[in-house]
Amino acid sequence: MLGLKATMAIIDNSGALVAECVNVLKVKTGHGMARIGDEIVVVIKRARPISTATTASAASNAQKVRRGDVRRAVVVRTKYPTRRPDGRYVRFDDNAAVLVNSKKEMIGNRIGGVVAAELRSRGWGKIVSLAPKVV
């Protein structure tokens, strides 16, 4: 579970590196705690620097987010253990998320880390299909 004011890594190529959770969306229970697959609102705390080159290739690789932006994200890893139906628990070394827009489409087009398998059952199959490894 991930609470408010929790910082997390952003593992897509949208340009954000670290974000802080400020709201958990559509969670009826848990007192504002987010689990894997929940949609949250984040503030970007650290982002990749925006290059000043004006070439055509640099324009296509322009960063999509900046420091201080308020965006939506999907939680893909949590330190808090998650119980699987077979009785096992899975937990990760860090909290991580992937940025999405208001239409639930990913902002980045690549994912640079491991994601949890629970995302597929929570309706985020696109994130699972782009991830290099699913645990």
Side-chain angles (χ1 to χ4, degrees):
M1 293 200 169
L2 185 71
L4 299 178
K5 296 290 184 185
T7 59
M8 67 195 70
I10 303 296
I11 61 168
D12 60 8
N13 66 340
S14 60
L17 297 173
V18 177
E20 180 180 340
C21 176
V22 293
N23 191 15
V24 181
L25 299 175
K26 296 181 184 174
V27 174
K28 302 283 190 254
T29 61
H31 305 290
M33 304 296 272
R35 301 180 311 169
I36 292 173
D38 284 344
E39 196 171 350
I40 60 175
V41 178
V42 298
V43 174
I44 307 303
K45 289 294 180 186
R46 247 183 40 200
R48 289 189 190 94
I50 297 171
S51 65
T52 57
T54 57
T55 62
S57 63
S60 65
N61 292 333
Q63 302 305 325
K64 298 171 182 76
V65 295
R66 295 182 175 197
R67 183 180 181 277
D69 283 358
V70 177
R71 298 291 175 122
R72 291 183 178 205
V74 176
V75 178
V76 296
R77 293 194 303 249
T78 59
K79 290 182 185 179
Y80 191 84
T82 301
R83 188 174 190 276
R84 296 251 167 107
D86 60 2
R88 289 183 294 173
Y89 285 88
V90 62
R91 67 178 171 209
F92 297 93
D93 291 337
D94 65 342
N95 299 318
V98 172
L99 296 180
V100 295
N101 63 14
S102 58
K103 294 187 243 176
K104 300 186 189 276
E105 300 165 343
M106 289 179 48
I107 292 176
N109 54 12
R110 257 190 257 148
I111 294 180
V114 176
V115 300
E118 284 83 4
L119 288 170
R120 191 182 309 274
S121 62
R122 302 284 307 267
W124 299 102
K126 174 78 171 175
I127 294 173
V128 174
S129 66
L130 289 175
K133 185 155 177 127
V134 179
V135 176

